[in-house]
Amino acid sequence: MSHQCYTHKLLTGRYNDFPTLRKNGGISGFTNTTESPHDFFISGHSSTSISSALGLLTARELNGEEGKVIAIIGDGALTGGMAFEGLSHAGQLCKNLIVILNDNQMSIDHNTGSVSRYLSRLSMSAGYQTLRYRIDKALDKIPYLGSALEKIIFRIKRSIKGLLLTNNLFVDLGFEYVGPLDGHNEVALERELRRVSRLHRPVVVHVVTKKGRGYSPAENNPELFHGIGPFQISDGTVEKFDTESFTESFSNIMLEAGEKNKDIVAITAAMAKGTGLSSFSHKFPERFFDVGIAEEHAVTFAGGLAKGGKVPVVCIYSTFMQRAVDQMIHDIALQKSHAVFMLDRAGAVPSDGVTHQGIYDIALFRPIPELELLTVCSAIDLRLCFEWAVEKGTSVVIRYPKLTCPTEIPQFSTPVELGRGIFIPCTEFVIENISEKELESKKTKILIVATGGIYSEVQKAVRSVLLDGGYADVYLLRFIKPFDETYFIELASRYSGVVFVEDGVIAGGIGEHLCGLLAKRGMKNSKVLGFEDKFYNHGSREEVLEMAGLSPNHIKKAVKECSKLISD
């Protein structure tokens, strides 16, 4: 995921820009080609470096250029299948590629699975390493002949390695394997890298490091400091907030569900803490599965569990579910699997930026047959929709934002009814002395139709509209699919205009579809607000929504424009 690029940024002219890190207009938390010529790719998702590097190296060779390309990959990213696809192809092509494997036994959470255990076994091969360094040291002392003997010694070392490390995956794939090396011993590491640079074949350099090295709070709690928010540098204390987030709400819901239903199992892709499943994993370890950074496997694994009579709940960030679209079609929807997918971080995602915005899931999953897609607006709504999904027996996706849950209102407790959303009259948003009689007397009434994740901004917009003498009711789209079109058309026909507000891309989204639906019936006074056809950089949630034209002021402006069209 290129989280390991901070040192690279410091050494390539961006030291003075670090106060702007992950802030609007500042430098990205990942490699970014717009920042520096030293960043070759925009990279924010895991397990891609080997394939990208191999492609770059091959292009250079075809252009007649010499030299090496170096790919850096973490051991967590090595749990992703794409990394092995790249390794397999690189070994086949036998290109002049160096892969530096940073082994700190961490990804977002502690690494799990056989790959992690395999690397740990390699890291404990001290006998081979001791002998290897003694040979290297002796070779360096031989004048003139050292260079000539290098190839002979290289073959001897490979033979010794074959005796001591009989099951080296990287060697079997066609790589020379160097390591494990102490990643914090700079002198020894530089010496080995210089030697590796003289080899003309693919090489894996296995480097062992400690996550958070040099800062004891991070060393002691690496999961917490993987993607840290504001904290006290003196002792590492993280700022805490009283309000409950959607992730925390889901965490509590899962614990209760696991207690009630013994068939519920939880699956995540290296994000137990980030998705709120840590508590479930501790209480029900036999029903919790962290598959590593392998979203495709997570989805198909869930399909197998469902076929075996379990109720899998798969928890993955929206941006990472993009990697498993085919599996959702082939292994879930087509099979009509009873599985529940919880998409955290849907909609605008602050700080992480262009590679992490959760704005594509509606357009990606809405067209899939036999797949139901829900969007929730509060903690109570999340609970109701989750319980419905578990009982329903179909393939269900539930999306929610990286946000604190709003204050509950009675409408959020509306029972779940297939295809229908939550209607909220504007009287619910009144904060000044405006009588219901005054509101009812208004001739121009606008309906705001919104996905649940953008409710907080809609709420502010409606209050502002009311204070300016306007009128707007709200219909929250609890169901993206299936959708009760008959009910919606009847509802929309009562209004002078409709404003659609969606925390997803407009192209292929629900707002665009419903706007067209109304236009076919002669109701053309409508506007669609959503993410345009472009990529959105990092910033706070408010800044990202401002860039996208989804701020409360933008929503208010759209309502006023619809009202003006009628009054004119």
Side-chain angles (χ1 to χ4, degrees), residues 1 41 43 45-58 69-75 77-93 95-102 169-170 173 175 202-205 323:
M1 293 170 64
F41 299 97
S43 179
H45 288 188
S46 159
S47 312
T48 63
S49 62
I50 297 172
S51 297
S52 295
L54 182 61
L56 177 61
L57 176 61
T58 302
V69 172
I70 301 173
I72 300 177
I73 189 167
D75 53 326
L78 204 62
T79 63
M82 187 176 178
F84 287 97
E85 293 172 13
L87 285 169
S88 176
H89 193 207
Q92 173 195 339
L93 295 179
K95 297 291 186 183
N96 206 7
L97 177 71
I98 297 176
V99 176
I100 298 178
L101 170 59
N102 179 26
L169 171 66
F170 304 111
L173 285 173
F175 283 78
V203 184
V204 168
V205 181
R323 313 178 103 182

Side-chain angles (χ1 to χ4, degrees), residues 173-392:
L173 285 173
F175 283 78
E176 165 66 8
Y177 172 79
V178 178
L181 307 176
D182 180 359
H184 300 295
N185 185 338
E186 293 182 27
V187 174
L189 187 59
E190 286 184 16
R191 182 174 64 244
E192 290 303 314
L193 289 175
R194 287 194 183 95
R195 288 172 178 160
V196 165
S197 69
R198 295 196 290 267
L199 299 177
H200 295 282
R201 57 180 295 107
V203 184
V204 168
V205 181
H206 183 183
V207 178
V208 179
T209 60
K210 184 177 180 61
K211 189 156 187 171
R213 172 70 176 257
Y215 183 57
S216 57
E219 289 186 21
N220 297 331
N221 195 348
E223 299 101 322
L224 179 65
F225 279 82
H226 173 81
I228 193 69
F231 68 96
Q232 296 293 331
I233 295 177
S234 57
D235 60 2
T237 302
V238 179
E239 289 186 16
K240 292 185 178 180
F241 304 93
D242 295 332
T243 51
E244 182 182 62
S245 70
F246 278 91
T247 303
E248 290 167 335
S249 176
F250 169 68
S251 178
N252 296 329
I253 292 168
M254 269 298 285
L255 277 178
E256 295 175 25
E259 199 74 65
K260 293 176 184 175
N261 189 339
K262 305 304 180 184
D263 285 330
I264 285 180
V265 296
I267 305 168
T268 190
M271 295 182 292
K273 188 177 182 66
T275 58
L277 285 180
S278 291
S279 297
F280 187 95
S281 70
H282 294 142
K283 190 164 186 178
F284 308 107
E286 73 287 353
R287 289 191 275 149
F288 170 76
F289 303 94
D290 184 344
V291 302
I293 306 178
E295 292 82 7
E296 301 96 323
H297 167 65
V299 172
T300 302
F301 177 57
L305 282 164
K307 186 65 72 173
K310 299 302 176 184
V311 183
V313 179
V314 184
C315 310
I316 296 176
Y317 292 179
S318 170
T319 185
F320 299 137
M321 273 298 290
Q322 296 164 190
R323 313 178 103 182
V325 174
D326 180 59
Q327 286 72 23
M328 289 293 286
I329 297 170
H330 184 271
D331 303 320
I332 297 297
L334 185 62
Q335 316 296 331
K336 298 183 180 180
S337 300
H338 180 199
V340 182
F341 296 86
M342 309 301 293
L343 302 196
D344 202 330
R345 272 66 165 173
V349 177
S351 303
D352 287 333
V354 66
T355 57
H356 280 58
Q357 301 297 353
I359 59 179
Y360 304 105
D361 54 82
I362 294 176
L364 288 172
F365 296 123
R366 193 174 70 84
I368 301 175
E370 304 293 342
L371 189 67
E372 297 173 347
L373 177 57
L374 284 73
T375 173
V376 299
C377 60
S378 77
I380 287 178
D381 191 26
L382 177 60
R383 177 182 293 276
L384 290 173
C385 289
F386 177 80
E387 291 173 351
W388 177 87
V390 169
E391 293 298 322
K392 183 68 166 47

